[in-house]
Amino acid sequence: MTSHPAFPPPPGARAYPLRTARGEFAVVDSSPAAGEEGRGVVLMLPGFTGSKEDFRLLHEPLAQRGYRVVAVDGRGQHESDGPLDDESAYAQRELARDVLAQAEALGGPVHLVGHSLGGQIARAAVLLDHSPFVSFTLVSSGPAEISVSQQQRVKLLRDALAVLSMAEVWEAIQAMGPPEEVGGPARGLGDQDQLRRRWLGHSPAQLLATGRQLCTEPDRVAELAAVPLPFHVLSGAHDDTWPVAILDDMALRLDAHRTVVTGAEHSPNADQPLPTAHALADFWDGIGPGRSPAAAGTD
């Protein structure tokens, strides 16, 4: 776990290693704003090739609404340690157990939020044990495997990782064109030096294992729907990884609150952070003891 982070934490937040029963995980942790009554704790899990910094623009507006936000790097992501060549450490069930340990370390219960891959890992955790969670929000995270076009992109990355170093793969990504045309690890909330340092912090085994998971994930929505938690499905208005119509259908199957963020794509937390933060807080505010939030709708 690096002592020289590539990204300074946002105002009012601090970065530190969260100690859990399953090891330490790098987190960015922000408390409710001064004068705000604490309304709950939120645990946020990033997506494939992402990191806790993908949520950096949500900390301040959620703190203003009274929420403590803890964004975490999963095992082998960015600043959290993990084996470099042992893919078994990144089996979905192992990553799900990490999430349960993180929630326990935060004193639970927590509002759970997972973006993309993080949503599927979070779903696996909820299906193992839902008791540490108050609610579960899937952000741009679909019911099963990613789209064919995105599977092809993941396969290219996995093929490259099999023969090149992480630094060489980064150079190959850069050679493909400007970040807005490349996507993936070359995009994010930071400059290219910060994003490169983040990329180099990832474990190749983590990327190989979770990339395979994204391409083979089964549909477990029926299992999740049987869990007695309030659900929220939030996405942008356009998504190449899981088409919005698929996310709409998943929300119906879950009887979930549904938010579509105008002007956002696969990462509404980065594309439109204020509307995203308000939609999250509105959902959590609407959860009372023993009841679900207000009837589902599209924001």
Side-chain angles (χ1 to χ4, degrees), residues 41-61:
V41 180
V42 182
L43 176 62
M44 294 190 164
L45 314 182
F48 186 60
T49 76
S51 69
K52 60 191 179 302
E53 286 74 25
D54 293 336
F55 304 111
R56 63 182 290 112
L57 299 180
L58 299 183
H59 284 271
E60 281 193 277

Side-chain angles (χ1 to χ4, degrees), residues 133-156:
F133 308 113
V134 181
S135 70
F136 177 28
T137 298
L138 293 131
V139 177
S140 304
S141 185
E145 76 279 358
I146 55 178
S147 66
V148 172
S149 64
Q150 293 301 309
Q151 289 184 45
Q152 293 169 343
R153 289 170 65 89
V154 170
K155 184 179 185 303
L156 285 173

Side-chain angles (χ1 to χ4, degrees), residues 201-214:
H202 277 70
S203 159
Q206 189 269 352
L207 294 168
L208 289 167
T210 57
R212 184 181 298 108
Q213 291 168 27
L214 284 170

Side-chain angles (χ1 to χ4, degrees), residues 3-27:
S3 59
H4 302 285
F7 301 83
R14 63 190 183 102
Y16 64 92
L18 177 69
R19 293 183 176 88
T20 80
R22 290 178 61 85
E24 294 185 347
F25 297 89
V27 301

Side-chain angles (χ1 to χ4, degrees), residues 14-283:
R14 63 190 183 102
Y16 64 92
L18 177 69
R19 293 183 176 88
T20 80
R22 290 178 61 85
E24 294 185 347
F25 297 89
V27 301
V28 172
D29 185 341
S30 58
S31 299
E36 290 293 326
E37 180 182 355
R39 299 185 63 86
V41 180
V42 182
L43 176 62
M44 294 190 164
L45 314 182
F48 186 60
T49 76
S51 69
K52 60 191 179 302
E53 286 74 25
D54 293 336
F55 304 111
R56 63 182 290 112
L57 299 180
L58 299 183
H59 284 271
E60 281 193 277
L62 289 176
Q64 293 294 332
R65 295 286 295 267
Y67 289 94
R68 176 188 176 194
V69 176
V70 181
V72 62
D73 287 335
R75 183 177 304 277
Q77 279 186 320
H78 191 206
E79 293 175 334
S80 288
D81 292 336
L84 298 180
D85 54 9
D86 178 10
E87 291 187 42
S88 68
Y90 306 105
Q92 189 185 77
R93 189 176 182 88
E94 294 302 308
L95 298 178
R97 287 174 171 162
D98 288 346
V99 176
L100 295 174
Q102 292 155 11
E104 180 183 27
L106 293 175
V110 302
H111 294 286
L112 183 61
V113 177
H115 174 236
S116 195
L117 170 71
Q120 297 200 331
I121 293 169
R123 179 173 74 177
V126 169
L127 291 174
L128 276 178
D129 181 5
H130 70 271
S131 65
F133 308 113
V134 181
S135 70
F136 177 28
T137 298
L138 293 131
V139 177
S140 304
S141 185
E145 76 279 358
I146 55 178
S147 66
V148 172
S149 64
Q150 293 301 309
Q151 289 184 45
Q152 293 169 343
R153 289 170 65 89
V154 170
K155 184 179 185 303
L156 285 173
L157 178 58
R158 294 182 69 244
D159 288 347
L161 287 170
V163 296
L164 300 174
S165 69
M166 290 290 286
E168 289 170 334
V169 173
W170 177 262
E171 295 305 318
I173 290 169
Q174 294 300 297
M176 290 170 63
E180 61 270 17
E181 296 177 7
V182 176
R187 295 190 69 180
L189 297 172
D191 61 33
Q192 287 301 288
D193 178 63
Q194 290 173 313
L195 295 174
R196 180 180 184 275
R197 288 175 64 186
R198 176 173 77 170
W199 168 255
L200 294 177
H202 277 70
S203 159
Q206 189 269 352
L207 294 168
L208 289 167
T210 57
R212 184 181 298 108
Q213 291 168 27
L214 284 170
C215 295
T216 59
E217 179 74 5
D219 188 322
R220 304 184 71 186
V221 175
E223 291 177 72
L224 185 62
V227 174
L229 280 180
F231 299 118
H232 185 189
V233 175
L234 185 149
S235 73
H238 178 75
D239 198 314
D240 289 330
T241 306
W242 286 279
V244 171
I246 289 178
L247 300 175
D248 289 339
D249 178 70
M250 181 179 71
L252 288 173
R253 294 168 64 195
L254 289 172
D255 191 23
H257 188 69
R258 178 75 173 108
T259 298
V260 177
V261 180
T262 303
E265 298 191 8
H266 186 60
S267 296
N269 42 293
D271 297 338
Q272 294 289 340
L274 283 177
T276 298
H278 291 318
L280 289 168
D282 288 347
F283 169 66

